[in-house]
Amino acid sequence: MRRRDEGEARAAARHATRKAEREERLARARFDVGEKSDVRELPRGVYDSKNAFTYDMKVENGLTAEIVREISAEKDEPEWMLEKRLAALEIFNASSNPPWGPDLSAVDMNQISTYIRPKAQRARDWENVPDEIRATFEKLGIPEAELESLAGVGAQYDSEVVYHNMKDYLLEQGVVYTDFESAVKQYPEIIKQYFGKLITPRLHRYAALHYAVWSGGSFVYVPEGVQVDIPLQSYFRLNAPGAGQFEHTLIIVEKGASVHFIEGCSAPKYNTLNLHAGAVELYVKEDAKLRYSTIENWSRNMYNLNTKRARIEKNGSMEWVSGSFGSAVSMLYPTSLLVGEGAKSDFTGITFAGKNQYLDTGAQVMHQAPHTYSTINSKSISKSGGVAIYRGTVDVGPEAKGSRSSVSCESLMLDSESRSDTIPSIRIATEDVDLGHEAKIGMIDETAIFYLMSRGIPEEEAKAMIVRGFAEPIAKELPMEYAVEMNNLITLELKGAIG
């Protein structure tokens, strides 16, 4: 008992200290995110801090049937999962990189380790997470956020979830929130019914790679009529150099239920290529609501080839809120399938492409039922030769009579070296549809900068104010702490502090 009491006391003291620091940072950031002192409060160093590369188990670099079998055996998986892995491997080996979008020739699977188990077991108490790993998540503010504003948290480090917990009152209502590997063993019939159905290994090459070597991730099940009033969050941290992270997230929101799920991602910078090819499958049943918020803050040696899809039934509502920063290359197009009458999808996203970054992102909506509704609001910022591409699809099928869709793409270029393209695809197979598309590409208004400077604001801060104003519609859709993080990341990008 004494050891437990001492451990709780230490945890409480750490929490009090971190809480005070965090409240001070938030208070300053709410009023002036652009001050230099605020930049120091959230330096890239928080995300670039590296732990020693240690592990319990690591597969050899490369991708072979033997490696896939080794991963499956390490997890003690059922035979049906191994069969799915091996089938996906065959699809990957028979496929090629897409002929469009960014150049992916640098992704050499012979140089990447697809599975690394950290020196940690999954815990429900932060005190049971190894000190070095726990310290990383404390720097990122995850334990404090859990105590103050989250109903549940999952934390993945390299290939495995090291912490997972949820409030007891949600357990009593039948809500399930656990790591995906536990779900495979505890809820096999549900997993078999939904796993790999929205995103199949044949969707594209890196979906096949994902299903061959997936590891970690989250499973959420919200029973009919249950309203999860506080968000759930999973945070994915890749510490290892020359590695891949392939988590699988599956969320099922039953009839009339609702939940807000937050996803955070980060990794320190290395001089070797890292790869992220996760998959997110979301099922929104009749009259249900799901909001999925993401801030992807990868380092610039990361190739982010993530895939996300949602299936929305009658009168269901899906909200995507997405911020993409940091990675060398991103290809990410969250997709909504509106399969029930009255289904709705809203996408709000922003990307910031700096030097040596190629961020090819957007959204897709498939209207497959009458009177469905969608909006896509995409913003991008590019500087120092960065490339920001919007690539999106709106597909209105013949059965989608009376549907409406609105697409808005705005791109802000901060110099003449940068590039920003809008590549929309709109397919309409019915006459009874209301669809609008608007795209704007431009540079910062020099008159506005001059006006702000005439009021005593330095040129650098004037530009930052305009950029933050451009991003404000996205920031206001995020939880407060994520909005602050996004504004600080934008400020750091503008100062050239992330490199």
Side-chain angles (χ1 to χ4, degrees), residues 463-497:
K463 290 181 179 179
M465 290 174 65
I466 291 172
V467 173
R468 290 197 299 273
F470 177 77
E472 191 269 340
I474 313 296
K476 73 179 184 181
E477 297 298 328
L478 291 166
M480 180 62 190
E481 292 176 29
Y482 275 80
V484 170
E485 177 183 345
M486 190 188 82
N487 280 330
N488 275 284
L489 290 170
I490 288 173
T491 301
L492 288 166
E493 287 277 8
L494 290 170
K495 294 176 180 296

Side-chain angles (χ1 to χ4, degrees), residues 102 300 324 326-330 351-361 380-390 411-421 441-443 493 498:
R300 289 198 179 171
S324 295
S327 56
V329 169
S330 277
T351 60
F352 196 128
K355 185 177 181 180
N356 298 324
Q357 286 184 274
Y358 195 122
L359 305 186
D360 193 308
T361 63
S380 69
I381 305 164
S382 53
K383 70 179 284 280
S384 303
V387 178
I389 308 292
Y390 167 80
S411 301
L412 183 64
M413 294 183 292
L414 304 186
D415 52 52
S416 58
E417 305 171 54
S418 303
R419 172 182 162 190
S420 185
D421 294 337
I441 297 178
M443 300 183 70
E493 287 277 8
I498 300 180

Side-chain angles (χ1 to χ4, degrees), residues 55 57-62 66-68 70-71 74 112-117:
Y55 49 84
M57 186 269 189
K58 173 183 178 294
V59 299
E60 294 182 1
N61 290 0
E66 289 72 24
I67 287 174
V68 170
E70 186 178 3
I71 294 172
E74 179 71 16
I112 293 173
S113 176
T114 54
Y115 180 77
I116 299 172
R117 178 184 290 280

Side-chain angles (χ1 to χ4, degrees), residues 159-376:
S159 297
E160 293 291 347
V161 173
V162 297
Y163 176 85
H164 221 291
N165 196 21
M166 184 176 66
K167 303 292 186 186
D168 289 340
Y169 78 93
L170 291 176
L171 288 170
E172 295 169 359
Q173 296 181 66
V175 176
V176 178
Y177 177 39
T178 188
D179 63 283
F180 197 74
E181 286 153 339
S182 295
V184 170
K185 296 175 181 178
Q186 296 172 13
Y187 309 97
E189 296 309 313
I190 297 178
I191 301 303
K192 285 181 181 179
Q193 181 181 351
Y194 292 99
F195 177 71
K197 302 297 173 58
L198 264 182
I199 300 171
T200 72
R202 295 192 180 278
L203 184 63
H204 58 77
R205 189 170 200 236
Y206 292 94
L209 172 64
H210 168 84
Y211 282 105
V213 296
W214 75 267
S215 185
S218 299
F219 173 65
V220 177
Y221 177 84
V222 185
E224 182 175 339
V226 174
Q227 313 297 311
V228 180
D229 54 349
I230 305 175
L232 304 174
Q233 173 178 289
S234 284
Y235 199 96
F236 302 101
R237 176 71 175 179
L238 183 59
N239 180 71
Q245 196 169 60
F246 308 98
E247 78 285 350
H248 194 92
T249 298
L250 173 61
I251 300 177
I252 302 165
V253 189
E254 292 287 6
K255 182 178 179 180
S258 67
V259 67
H260 180 190
F261 189 86
I262 303 172
E263 175 189 68
C265 315
S266 68
K269 182 181 178 182
Y270 291 101
N271 292 320
T272 182
L273 186 145
N274 277 14
L275 174 63
H276 178 236
V280 175
E281 297 185 291
L282 310 175
Y283 290 86
V284 183
K285 302 298 183 70
E286 183 177 343
D287 293 317
K289 296 180 180 179
L290 172 59
R291 170 175 276 214
Y292 197 97
S293 300
T294 306
I295 289 290
E296 299 203 19
N297 179 21
W298 298 114
S299 52
R300 289 198 179 171
N301 59 302
M302 177 69 76
Y303 274 58
N304 181 29
L305 310 177
N306 213 5
T307 309
K308 301 179 179 182
R309 281 197 158 198
R311 183 181 189 275
I312 305 97
E313 297 183 8
K314 183 178 180 180
N315 294 326
S317 175
M318 178 71 217
E319 295 180 66
W320 302 94
V321 182
S322 178
S324 295
F325 298 84
S327 56
V329 169
S330 277
M331 296 181 74
L332 178 60
Y333 323 97
T335 300
S336 292
L337 308 179
L338 303 176
V339 302
E341 184 173 1
K344 178 182 178 182
S345 171
D346 292 304
F347 173 86
T348 304
I350 189 167
T351 60
F352 196 128
K355 185 177 181 180
N356 298 324
Q357 286 184 274
Y358 195 122
L359 305 186
D360 193 308
T361 63
Q364 299 184 84
V365 184
M366 311 300 177
H367 291 259
Q368 300 174 353
H371 306 291
T372 48
Y373 175 71
S374 69
T375 63
I376 296 175

Side-chain angles (χ1 to χ4, degrees), residues 63-81:
L63 183 61
T64 65
E66 289 72 24
I67 287 174
V68 170
R69 289 181 184 277
E70 186 178 3
I71 294 172
S72 185
E74 179 71 16
K75 296 176 177 296
D76 192 25
E77 289 180 339
E79 186 66 23
W80 63 266
M81 183 59 78

